[in-house]
Amino acid sequence: MDVNAITEKLIRGELIDEAGFAELIRADSPELRAALAGAAREKCRAVYGNAVHIRGLIEFTNYCKNNCFYCGIRAGCKSAERYRLSEEEILSCCREGYELGFRTFVLQGGEDPFFTPERIENIVRAIKKAHPDCAVTLSVGEHPKEVYALWKQAGADRYLLRHETADKAHYESLHPAEMSFENRMRCLRDLRALGYQVGCGMMVGSPGQMPETLARDLVFIQSFRPEMVGIGPFIPAKDTPFESEKAGTLEMTLLLLSVIRLILPEVLLPATTALGTIHPRGREMGILAGANVCMPNLSPVSVRKKYALYDNKICTGDEAAQCLGCLGARIRSVGGEIVIARGDSKLKP
Ligand code: SAH
């Protein structure tokens, strides 16, 4: 099938197969990106208007027991300066965030055994008690179904767990043998079954990734129908096995944002910090390509530089309020408007 036919099918909301997605990816060009972005923007506007939802990101620990080859806070990264926030510090980030208009808090961290299921349960309960009108999103990696159930019971609404890649062989080239593709997918299914709003996603341009690999991710997204999809370029991190690899590109990330918006018009799609890191206007371009979520950092400024998943991460020096002011102006510059709302997904099951 030729690329125009695939594009038209995609815009009409018809299913595309792996070969079709791979063809679209291989055909990447400024013209194709512009056509897809225009259609994606239109679909996004039809569902969400010009609203851009904000989520306050609290990076509460950079200790991690895992050793993902790409990640700057992997256990084996000796140069990472480790930190943990206390429950009181986390709650104070939420209080500050609430004042600024955040109604979703995302607790993200490494897989840190100090934060036992009970500790996280208590934190979720405390946040929901202090801010019953807010959504709590967890992003703390792979756990047994019982643990996810415990946190759901405590009031957690959403869970972000990027699938990282839907290709088993590629998954194994990005992770050590102790981690498995099957368990990652098991986690996503369990989260879904427990009633979480679920976010998956992948890095763009991870070492060894091919058009076919990304096509497989798109087919997975098309069938799993997550409420949220987080994608951003891979960016090498120092002192990791991938420190000398090439970063993913702005262009491919933008193309994929548009394709994902067209696959799932109701999806919540962030213009990620990684996208803002590889280009000074990356997040704005992400919104123009179909993204409708931004996740500014609410972590205390003293720890921000330490949550270094990759090198040269942006917004590590600003106070939360400055960060939001700057972001609001950026979003308005591309016709978007920040809204004060939980911003739940409009995806129908
Ligand atoms: N421990 C949690 C949170 C991981 S950090 C979990 O397992 O879900 C959040 C995301 O950052 C990861 O899922 C990964 O896709 C992304 N990430 C990690 N290292 C990166 C890098 N070097 N470049 C770009 N993104 C990276």
Side-chain angles (χ1 to χ4, degrees):
M1 210 189 298
D2 81 336
V3 174
N4 288 332
I6 298 168
T7 307
E8 281 163 26
K9 265 184 87 167
L10 187 60
I11 294 173
R12 283 199 303 272
E14 291 170 33
L15 296 184
I16 310 290
D17 62 12
E18 206 175 295
F21 281 131
E23 190 137 340
L24 200 62
I25 290 163
R26 275 193 299 266
D28 177 37
S29 70
E31 297 72 33
L32 178 63
R33 282 199 298 279
L36 291 169
R41 261 325 267 153
E42 209 175 292
K43 294 248 177 191
C44 186
R45 204 169 296 133
V47 181
Y48 291 101
N50 69 342
V52 173
H53 289 288
I54 50 168
R55 281 61 166 102
L57 182 62
I58 303 169
E59 300 158 333
F60 70 99
T61 174
N62 72 347
Y63 283 86
C64 192
K65 66 179 170 59
N66 288 336
N67 254 316
C68 309
F69 298 149
Y70 43 84
C71 185
I73 64 166
R74 67 201 297 273
C77 188
K78 295 284 176 293
S79 63
E81 238 187 279
R82 306 290 168 169
Y83 74 92
R84 289 184 180 108
L85 300 185
S86 66
E87 179 173 326
E88 195 31 62
E89 286 172 308
I90 295 170
L91 286 168
S92 112
C93 292
C94 295
R95 268 195 299 278
E96 189 185 355
Y98 192 89
E99 290 299 310
L100 291 168
F102 289 92
R103 295 295 178 270
T104 292
F105 302 112
V106 181
L107 295 182
Q108 189 177 85
E111 289 189 23
D112 178 358
F114 172 84
F115 284 98
T116 56
E118 291 69 32
R119 280 205 168 104
I120 293 194
E121 179 196 8
N122 290 337
I123 293 167
V124 172
R125 283 193 198 283
I127 297 174
K128 292 298 276 196
K129 186 165 173 222
H131 306 290
D133 54 335
C134 292
V136 171
T137 305
L138 292 174
S139 179
V140 291
E142 300 175 19
H143 296 275
K145 187 172 186 181
E146 302 74 60
V147 172
Y148 289 148
L150 180 75
W151 297 337
K152 186 80 186 49
Q153 205 58 45
D157 302 275
R158 309 183 187 138
Y159 205 101
L160 300 179
L161 185 77
R162 290 190 177 179
H163 64 288
E164 309 297 359
T165 169
D167 182 295
K168 183 172 153 67
H170 189 53
Y171 187 93
E172 288 168 1
S173 75
L174 301 179
H175 300 96
E178 312 85 78
M179 295 180 73
S180 83
F181 175 68
E182 287 75 18
N183 196 49
R184 197 85 183 167
M185 289 295 173
R186 188 274 304 160
C187 289
L188 285 168
R189 283 194 304 273
D190 284 350
L191 290 162
R192 159 68 51 85
L194 288 165
Y196 282 93
Q197 295 173 40
V198 180
C200 67
M202 66 280 183
M203 293 180 291
V204 179
S206 52
Q209 188 182 60
M210 308 289 283
E212 292 71 23
T213 329
L214 283 169
R216 208 161 262 202
D217 289 316
L218 296 174
V219 168
F220 170 68
I221 289 167
Q222 182 175 254
S223 68
F224 188 66
R225 300 178 56 77
E227 281 79 8
M228 310 167 278
V229 178
I231 70 163
F234 159 74
I235 303 173
K238 66 170 173 358
D239 299 325
T240 63
F242 291 166
E243 68 178 349
S244 307
E245 300 287 342
K246 278 207 316 282
T249 68
L250 171 75
E251 291 75 16
M252 187 49 65
T253 308
L254 295 173
L255 176 103
L256 292 168
L257 283 171
S258 300
V259 171
I260 293 166
R261 169 65 61 202
L262 292 169
I263 296 173
L264 295 171
E266 297 88 1
V267 80
L268 290 159
L269 194 59
T272 53
T273 307
L275 187 57
T277 297
I278 53 161
H279 189 285
R281 296 192 75 240
R283 286 170 302 173
E284 292 90 314
M285 290 189 267
I287 290 170
L288 291 172
N292 67 335
V293 173
C294 277
M295 301 172 60
N297 203 318
L298 278 186
S299 314
V301 175
S302 59
V303 305
R304 281 191 197 176
K305 276 197 186 355
K306 300 181 188 167
Y307 197 79
L309 302 177
Y310 46 80
D311 297 345
N312 308 313
K313 192 170 152 216
I314 55 167
C315 304
T316 54
D318 294 346
E319 299 291 341
Q322 295 170 314
C323 212
L324 190 62
C326 160
L327 191 68
R330 287 171 180 273
I331 290 171
R332 280 190 299 279
S333 79
V334 288
E337 202 54 62
I338 287 182
V339 293
I340 298 183
R342 275 174 53 119
D344 288 293
S345 164
K346 299 192 175 169
L347 192 77
K348 292 160 212 73

